[in-house]
Amino acid sequence: MTIDIMESNSPSRVQQYITTASATMGALALGSVIGFTTHCVAQLTAEDPPTSSSDLRITPTEASWFASSANLGAVVGGVIGGLAANHIGRRGTLLVVAPPFIVAWLMIALAYNFALLMAGRVLTGVCLGIVSSVAPPYIGEFASANIRGALGSSFQVMLTTGILYAFFLGAVVGNWRLQAFLCMLPPGYDLQTSSTSVIYVDFDSPLSR
């Protein structure tokens, strides 16, 4: 019965591709969160003295907390994502989470002390938990059976691409603040594409109606 409902409500293949692209932008943003600390922690814990008031330094212990705190936020985000999906739908949840994602990266990029740095990192973790709990089932529910595997696997592909994106920025940019600003691009693009999909693809997950 459930399969019949899903198949009868399946949108066109083009609509499914557009909406999958929108949903997986969130996965790209998740990857940037995971990969961000690889290069940034080395800069934050550098032994050379700060050259300006904006050149923040933290201790190795603080760096450990900073790197791992996204996981704490993700635990909370997973719960929030499940509750939000039941109230505003999966598509609505993906739209709502993009602005906080951008704010979190701004907090990191503009941080002048460890507390603000941690707050931004935890918030990226919350957003990570929300997206990872909502996007995969969203894609799996609206995708037609003959392309469900391909569309579903795109989330993991974009996640690893996001990690590579963060690694690339860390190697090329060489400044953790600029890297944080550039990490705002995936959630910003996610917001833009999600808004576009709302305009051109007027459907939500068949099972969330």
Side-chain angles (χ1 to χ4, degrees):
M1 182 66 177
T2 301
I3 296 176
D4 293 337
I5 293 174
M6 291 175 64
E7 293 300 327
S8 64
N9 285 282
S10 291
S12 71
R13 184 167 292 195
V14 172
Q15 288 177 313
Q16 293 179 59
Y17 289 149
I18 292 173
T19 307
T20 299
S22 171
T24 54
M25 283 298 105
L28 188 68
L30 302 190
S32 66
V33 173
I34 296 171
F36 175 72
T37 55
T38 302
H39 291 86
C40 137
V41 164
Q43 297 174 36
L44 286 168
T45 57
E47 295 182 358
D48 56 298
T51 56
S52 66
S53 59
S54 63
D55 196 7
L56 184 64
R57 289 289 185 272
I58 60 177
T59 67
T61 300
E62 291 173 334
S64 179
W65 276 103
F66 174 66
S68 60
S69 58
N71 297 314
L72 298 175
V75 173
V76 178
V79 176
I80 294 174
L83 295 174
N86 288 334
H87 287 83
I88 62 176
R90 290 158 177 78
R91 182 182 60 186
T93 303
L94 292 174
L95 274 170
V96 168
V97 76
F101 227 143
I102 296 171
V103 170
W105 281 118
L106 273 175
M107 292 171 67
I108 294 174
L110 301 176
Y112 55 85
N113 57 29
F114 176 65
L116 191 55
L117 202 64
M118 277 290 292
R121 182 67 175 171
V122 170
L123 184 54
T124 61
V126 172
C127 297
L128 185 156
I130 293 173
V131 173
S132 60
S133 66
V134 173
Y138 177 50
I139 295 171
E141 289 170 5
F142 71 68
S144 299
N146 59 336
I147 57 173
R148 188 170 299 137
L151 296 186
S153 64
S154 63
F155 185 88
Q156 181 62 32
V157 171
M158 292 298 282
L159 176 62
T160 54
T161 301
I163 296 174
L164 288 174
Y165 172 70
F167 285 176
F168 174 79
L169 290 180
V172 174
V173 173
N175 181 288
W176 67 271
R177 291 188 187 274
L178 180 56
Q179 184 182 351
F181 277 119
L182 293 174
C183 282
M184 288 191 294
L185 294 179
Y189 191 66
D190 181 27
L191 179 61
Q192 189 274 327
T193 54
S194 297
S195 300
T196 302
S197 73
V198 169
I199 295 172
Y200 293 104
V201 187
D202 188 20
F203 71 96
D204 205 331
S205 166
L207 299 185
S208 64
R209 292 171 178 169

